[in-house]
Amino acid sequence: MSYTLTLHAGDDASEHDRRAAEQRFRTALEASLGDASLVAPVYTVYLKLLAQYGDTPSPDALTDAEREVFTQWQTAELAAVSAAFGPNRYMGDAQFEIDVTS
């Protein structure tokens, strides 16, 4: 299982800036999760949890393992966004898209 990462940014971001932000995001995400091979499976489970429980599930609704994955992904994503955009989020309404492939 692998993944691709794409930054969708406004016209104000150069190709160089977009690629650099993607790399910073990828590096921080993989470091936070512990390894690049964990991104796709953790993200896949996280998406299933979102579909089942919504964006802010009650901690009591999740099993310990589900809560761990949910928290782990959110922490990793926050670290990645901070690394990619910095504290000022200079790329405006930019968003990352992660596609998982088998």
Side-chain angles (χ1 to χ4, degrees):
M1 197 179 272
S2 63
Y3 76 100
T4 58
L5 175 70
T6 307
L7 170 61
H8 299 284
D11 294 336
D12 58 336
S14 71
E15 182 68 16
H16 177 269
D17 288 344
R18 189 174 65 76
R19 294 284 179 216
E22 286 176 350
Q23 187 57 48
R24 289 189 304 271
F25 186 97
R26 180 184 308 279
T27 299
L29 185 66
E30 292 171 0
S32 183
L33 291 174
D35 189 74
S37 66
L38 295 174
V39 173
V42 171
Y43 185 61
T44 299
V45 171
Y46 177 75
L47 291 178
K48 288 178 183 177
L49 293 172
L50 282 179
Q52 185 173 355
Y53 298 108
D55 290 339
T56 53
S58 167
D60 296 337
L62 301 171
T63 66
D64 289 344
E66 289 172 334
R67 191 172 9 314
E68 178 65 27
V69 170
F70 199 86
T71 302
Q72 185 179 27
W73 180 263
Q74 288 187 327
T75 300
E77 186 177 40
L78 180 60
V81 168
S82 294
F85 295 131
N88 299 323
R89 296 186 59 99
Y90 65 87
M91 292 183 121
D93 294 328
Q95 292 194 1
F96 287 92
E97 177 183 343
I98 298 172
D99 289 314
V100 175
T101 55
S102 304

